[in-house]
Amino acid sequence: MASEQQLSAIKGAKVLMVGAGGIGCELLKTLALSGFKDVHIIDMDTIEVSNLNRQFLFRQSHVGQSKAKVARDAVLKFRPHISITPYHANVKDPEFNVDFFKQFNVVLNGLDNLDARRHVNRLCLAAGVPLVESGTTGFLGQVTVHVKGKTECYECQPKPAPKTYPVCTITSTPSKFVHCIVWAKDLLFAKLFGDKNQENDLNVRASDASSSSQQTEDVFERKNDEDIEQYGRRIFDHVFGYNIELALSNEDTWKNRNRPRPIYSKDAIPVEPVGQNGNQAKNLAAGNPLSVSAMASLGLKNPQDLWSLKENSAVFLEALKLFFSKREKEIGNLTFDKDDQLAVEFVTAAANIRASSFGIPLHSLFEAKGIAGNIVHAVATTNAIIAGLIVIEAIKVLQNDITNYRMTYCLEHPSRKMLLMPVEPFEPNKSCYVCSETPLTLEINTHRSKLKDLVDKIVKAKLGMNLPLIMHGSSLLYEVGDDLEEDEVANYAANLEKVLSELPSPVMGGTILTVEDLQQELKCSINVKHRDEFDEEKEPDGMVLSGWTQPLAVEKNGKGSTDNGASTSRVSEATSVVTEDDDELQIIPTQIGKKRKLSDISSAASSEVSSFSNDAKIKRKAEEADDNNDLVMLDGGSSENSKKKREQ
Amino acid sequence: MARNFEDQDMMIDNQNPGLKVLLCNAEEVGEKYMIARKRELLHMFFGLQLDMDGEELTEQETALYDRQIRVWGADAQRRLSKSHILVSGLKGTVVEFCKNIVLAGVGSLTLNDDRLVTEELLSANFLVPLDEIVDSGKSLAELCCDSLKDFNPMVRVSVEKGELSNFSADFFDKFDVVVISSCSLSTKQSINEKCRKSIKRIAFYTVDCRDSCGEIFVDLQNYIYTKKKNDEAVECLLEYPSFEEAVSVPWRSLPRRVSKLYLAMRVIEKFEELEDRIPGETSAADLLNVQKLRKELCEAQSLDESQIPDSLLERLLEGRREFPPVCAVIGGILGQEVIKAISGKGDPLKNFFFFDAMDGKGVIEDIFRPKSQA
């Protein structure tokens, strides 16, 4: 039970929860039971069937509705007299600015992606609100506490970038199944069903060897009167047959590699139409387009089965046909979505056919979907445990009980008898650009000042940057450098002349800009505050930058500072971050289905969990936190007992 | 719906597929009986691992359980869907546990708790709307049952009325897992023994939370599971002591840094037994008498009394209302352990687990008397 002090801290607290998913549902429940009275919750997602195995506040009938809102209603049923304010919105929306964050006593993250985590971290730092951060993958989980100036911030340690693959590995020399998935999803699927104007390396590869790029454009385009069946076979033969033949003609490539085998549709599958058993007719096209399925019309049931080359070829042709016959309107606008059954079928089949070409083991649809959708493993129990630990830390934070803050790791295999391992938080990394200095605040008229003014008067004059790069979220507003393409240079030149609020990614009050100089390895955040009028005499720039005391304090070495070296090396090798339900090109490099060890996790781009098994500092910290629990015997009867005493 | 009701009833009636076969093919009874018997024996030795004959998960199950199948595999999911679980004592920690395993997709869950609800009983309960408690006349188990059913239509949730300690050994035969909470020392021991007498292996757990502390005890009897070592499957055997055997291990031969909670919980458990208290019905006023008992026990066991600090005893005695975050942690760990035991995947916990929110440590203690000393 909570003590009186704890209870009063809980009752008076105003809490912001970010995320109403796996951790969020558990967290909202535990907060409500623990006596919290005022909880705000932000989540942009809607409920999906695959959430229901762990997000227990949701039911089948809620599929498609806002997670934040349904979670609120579900919790009010058992604790009707508390206030829960839901926002069905993206935490990165401008309404959730620093002032919004300032109203809370603590922020609790139950997020699924790095971008949002970093965003919330920065807002918490800017607003001076403590953050309790969390993550889970399978049986592993962690809870960390971030209080400005007291503990390290979420970004004190560099996070590894999402895994990417060299283009030539994907287009020409795949050696792992994941390469085939990336090819099928990001090249072939995008080429056939996505935006035709998008750059696509499938194009490049094909045009390298053929006479003109115009001709290859035609290859993927379905001719007006072309039979769907024929078109499918033509695409099949082009990408799995012709293109492989072309690649084979480049002898150098194959000197130290196994030569791939071209596959033509007539060999993989006889020209007889597939699924003759009248199954095709069974296809229920009515209603939801996402229910159209090549597997269903071919009579394939179990998504965990491994399909033969013939079955994969049949699925490939059938899926292509279904896209053109049942979902023609979407063609040209489709992006891969792991919840789009037909898209998953097409990508699985295409990846498997390519894998057979290159002698790579095939995978089931279930496995392929996991890789293509970058699906993070998730179970209810870990989320429940982590949510409990978040609340325990949140209560300490509310009581300002700094000495007892802990980062806690939930392990799959016990370490020093512990399944739940508390570790004292680290001190802020002095060279962390995000939290080491007070974030800058820039007051500016966003409707009148141009990007050019900001670059000249602030970024160059005040921050002393030579080759600045200015970002708003993930979109680049401005960049200088001699390796830029002509069109980029033109684009940035055009941006310079625009007023801030009319930029492609508009800069307004509440916007946080990231300004970076790659050459100087300096990067910082600027909180933009809109202000209409400036005093011409006292504020001749027409804008005011505050929080920056030394105008040219540039660290030549950036990360080279060794004040906090131990912890830097700790997490840089250990931390990794994740994305549950995130369709970006981030691929789990470990094989699905195999049990992953902690040490593997550290290299997996998908993990939410910091691995620390090899890390001496954490172990030492853990030991410090461990009080002396030794049993002391009154009479050391046996010799074993007296030995124990001596050991102490 | 994935399975029709007939199928579900069949599963309830038949703990193992051998018997199911037996009922389905009455003509070949003789021959099949031998097979059934063999399976039953295998079942005893290997737990639940071997008794699944490749029935496929339905499309609906695959869609619903997608994320967790990626953690423990389709095989484990099938085993879960055929397991039957009994819980008794429905305070917050057990409610958390029930939520976890209903979501995970066990075959059936049977709830036992005839108490009428009070506000205190519901302090960490998210299944029962607080407004509904007045005059409903329903027991705690009945109220919880209604909402648990809603969590996962593929799990059969039901109520078993009656006093736990009065159930016969046969009753427990219906279950693969038995979890009891808020029980006296003697009830823990007698239920554990009844489970051990069953022809098949019943996984037995006790769980208790006091204040911001929690304890789990596990008895899987002789448990064999496969472990992957360098990509090779290695068979491991774990031998578990019963609750009675475990708590009678002399304190002086306990692991060197055994959790203080283990000792403190034993003192309070003993105190309640001697005073004939309803488990958990203690207060700070009992501290003096508990300290007296601690002194006696420590002297008899040659242990320094300082190993069971006053502050800890006081917390445990006072904490009648549960602390919901601790319920979530303990209920989560317990859920995970039961899933491991049913699926045969992962190292199961042996045989005590302790969590204290004060220091944040979740510690496993292996408390048994080695054969040589027994």
Side-chain angles (χ1 to χ4, degrees), chain A residues 1-2 6 10 26 29-30 33-34 48-56 58-60 77-81 138-139 301-305 338-339 365-367 369-371 375-382 384-389 391-392 395-396 404 406 408 410-414 416-422 580-581 592-595 597 625-638 640-641 644-645 647-648, chain B residues 56-57 59-60 62-74 96 99-100 103-104 122-131 147 150-151 210-212 226-228 230-231 251-260 263 298-299 301-307 318-326 328-337 339-340 345-347 349 353 355 357-366 373:
Chain A
M1 190 187 97
Q6 285 176 327
I10 288 169
E26 295 288 341
K29 171 259 300 168
T30 305
L33 292 177
S34 303
E48 288 169 28
V49 172
S50 62
N51 300 149
L52 303 179
N53 81 317
R54 61 194 189 285
Q55 300 176 15
F56 76 100
F58 310 144
R59 304 283 173 270
Q60 190 77 42
K77 279 188 186 153
F78 61 85
R79 287 295 179 273
H81 305 301
F139 292 119
K301 287 208 179 91
N302 191 344
Q304 310 229 16
D305 283 344
K338 67 181 176 354
D339 296 309
L365 177 117
F366 181 81
E367 294 167 316
K369 178 180 168 182
I371 301 170
I375 293 172
V376 171
H377 310 174
V379 283
T381 48
T382 316
I385 295 165
I386 289 301
L389 296 171
V391 177
I392 290 169
I395 294 171
K396 293 182 204 166
N404 284 313
R406 293 289 180 272
T408 311
C410 180
L411 311 176
E412 186 167 2
H413 306 289
R416 307 176 72 247
K417 296 202 305 187
M418 278 187 265
L419 270 183
L420 301 174
M421 181 187 262
E580 179 179 345
D581 298 336
I592 297 291
K594 288 203 174 169
K595 206 183 212 175
K597 284 173 270 165
D626 194 4
D627 59 313
N628 193 345
N629 260 342
D630 289 19
L631 274 181
V632 180
M633 298 298 169
L634 277 182
D635 77 317
S638 70
E640 202 198 307
N641 282 340
K644 279 181 188 165
K645 265 200 249 177
E647 277 171 8
Q648 290 164 23
Chain B
E56 283 182 7
L57 295 171
E59 216 172 297
Q60 190 193 3
T62 309
L64 177 63
Y65 301 132
D66 183 286
R67 295 302 186 274
Q68 66 197 38
I69 291 174
R70 291 176 196 281
V71 177
W72 51 59
E96 284 278 350
K99 171 207 68 191
N100 293 335
L103 291 174
L122 294 182
S123 65
N125 186 313
F126 52 88
L127 296 176
V128 183
L130 275 179
D131 298 352
S147 24
D150 215 30
F151 280 18
R210 284 170 176 270
D211 192 75
S212 47
T226 45
K227 199 176 177 173
K228 272 210 177 135
N230 309 323
D231 268 2
W251 288 358
R252 56 195 293 168
S253 57
L254 288 174
R256 211 159 71 87
R257 300 169 124 216
V258 75
S259 168
K260 292 177 168 66
L263 301 166
C298 285
E299 273 171 8
Q301 300 262 11
S302 313
L303 182 78
D304 191 321
E305 271 191 73
S306 68
Q307 289 306 305
E318 268 187 350
R320 294 178 50 162
R321 283 177 90 98
E322 295 167 290
F323 186 44
V326 172
V329 171
I330 294 288
I333 297 279
L334 181 61
Q336 241 160 48
E337 287 306 318
I339 290 165
K340 280 188 210 165
K345 298 228 162 142
D347 306 319
L349 187 159
F353 177 80
F355 176 71
M358 287 273 265
D359 62 16
K361 278 186 253 177
V363 184
I364 296 171
E365 295 290 355
D366 188 359
Q373 289 178 29

Side-chain angles (χ1 to χ4, degrees), chain A residues 214-232 234-235 238 324 328:
Chain A
Q214 190 54 48
Q215 188 188 329
T216 53
E217 281 292 316
D218 293 341
V219 169
F220 293 100
E221 208 61 48
R222 185 181 164 203
K223 294 175 191 102
N224 282 339
D225 51 351
E226 194 172 15
D227 174 63
I228 306 178
E229 192 80 32
Q230 251 172 15
Y231 170 66
R234 193 163 59 75
I235 297 296
H238 182 80
F324 276 90
E328 195 160 13

Side-chain angles (χ1 to χ4, degrees), chain B residues 252-319:
Chain B
R252 56 195 293 168
S253 57
L254 288 174
R256 211 159 71 87
R257 300 169 124 216
V258 75
S259 168
K260 292 177 168 66
L261 259 176
Y262 171 75
L263 301 166
M265 290 295 274
R266 299 291 77 77
V267 174
I268 291 182
E269 190 175 71
K270 191 85 189 166
F271 173 78
E272 287 179 341
E273 184 80 0
L274 293 171
E275 296 256 312
D276 209 13
R277 294 282 179 91
I278 294 169
E281 303 274 291
T282 54
S283 70
D286 295 318
L287 187 61
L288 266 178
N289 288 327
V290 172
Q291 281 168 323
K292 232 159 80 186
L293 179 63
R294 172 185 64 187
K295 190 161 187 273
E296 284 169 31
L297 291 172
C298 285
E299 273 171 8
Q301 300 262 11
S302 313
L303 182 78
D304 191 321
E305 271 191 73
S306 68
Q307 289 306 305
I308 313 175
D310 285 340
S311 56
L312 181 57
L313 285 177
E314 209 174 330
R315 275 171 65 205
L316 297 177
L317 287 170
E318 268 187 350

Side-chain angles (χ1 to χ4, degrees), chain A residues 89-130:
Chain A
N90 188 337
V91 68
K92 291 164 88 176
D93 289 346
E95 58 177 307
F96 306 119
N97 55 19
V98 175
D99 284 337
F100 175 85
F101 272 68
K102 275 184 178 159
Q103 62 183 305
F104 299 102
N105 301 102
V106 65
V107 174
L108 312 177
N109 267 359
L111 277 164
D112 61 6
N113 68 85
L114 175 59
D115 241 25
R117 283 191 168 101
R118 286 161 55 125
H119 185 82
V120 173
N121 180 51
R122 290 168 190 200
L123 281 162
C124 284
L125 288 167
V129 181

